[in-house]
Amino acid sequence: MTDYQLLSVLRNIDLQRCEDMGNNIFYIRKYVSTKYFDCHSGKDKHSRSLEEFLVIANYGIKQGIIHNCNNDDLHWYVFSHWRNKSVLSNALRTGIIKQVWPDIEAVSCCYNWNDDKVAKRQKTEYLAGLAGLRVKDENTCWISFP
């Protein structure tokens, strides 16, 4: 799921349908449709899957989201207005990841085309450490435009 897709999911989540986990964190499982290009048929196709998310929200204002990627990885996104305000780090410090998804032990460090790779890696290692996770060395990925 790209940052753009995760942003769209976050915007469309109704907090009233989420389970309040405390500490301004809400849990939801919901079906998500994604569009992809099928190189065999040469056409756009859609898939629908049940996905798990943690939403960070304060006083009903959504600030960020954490996506469980098949119990193997996490993808997080914070609205630009809330970045560098400890929104994600405060949520990760609560131990919520180990509580909700105990099988997740590590996260990948993924880069957008314009990211400062060193800074992104350092930030990912810091955030992973707060959650009690490690960063996967063997699985660095690249993300293109949304």
Side-chain angles (χ1 to χ4, degrees):
M1 190 174 288
T2 66
D3 284 353
Y4 182 77
Q5 290 167 322
L6 200 52
L7 167 65
S8 178
V9 169
L10 178 56
R11 283 184 175 148
N12 291 305
I13 285 178
D14 178 0
L15 290 176
Q16 298 295 328
R17 296 182 180 264
C18 298
E19 178 183 347
D20 188 345
M21 304 299 288
N23 296 309
N24 301 320
I25 303 170
F26 300 83
Y27 172 84
I28 188 168
R29 287 177 51 159
K30 67 178 278 156
Y31 281 97
V32 176
S33 295
T34 54
K35 182 173 139 179
Y36 66 95
F37 181 75
D38 181 13
C39 59
H40 297 294
S41 68
K43 296 179 181 180
D44 285 337
K45 295 208 173 180
H46 296 271
S47 68
R48 190 166 187 248
S49 58
L50 186 60
E51 304 288 339
E52 291 181 280
F53 301 94
L54 291 173
V55 178
I56 305 163
N58 196 1
Y59 296 106
I61 299 170
K62 295 178 278 187
Q63 299 172 321
I65 190 167
I66 303 170
H67 173 223
N68 177 342
C69 306
N70 300 316
N71 257 356
D72 180 54
D73 206 348
L74 298 174
H75 182 185
W76 45 61
Y77 180 86
V78 175
F79 283 127
S80 58
H81 176 75
W82 295 105
R83 291 183 191 155
N84 300 314
K85 295 182 180 176
S86 301
V87 168
L88 183 58
S89 57
N90 287 341
L92 295 173
R93 275 189 192 95
T94 67
I96 192 70
I97 301 302
K98 292 293 186 183
Q99 177 187 340
V100 177
W101 302 313
D103 293 340
I104 296 178
E105 298 176 356
V107 294
S108 298
C109 184
C110 294
Y111 305 100
N112 290 310
W113 67 275
N114 60 342
D115 283 339
D116 174 341
K117 291 183 284 301
V118 173
K120 182 82 176 245
R121 177 73 183 204
Q122 289 173 341
K123 185 177 261 188
T124 301
E125 287 174 348
Y126 171 73
L127 292 168
L130 293 177
L133 306 170
R134 62 180 173 76
V135 177
K136 298 177 186 178
D137 290 325
E138 73 286 351
N139 210 6
T140 302
C141 58
W142 293 90
I143 307 285
S144 61
F145 296 99

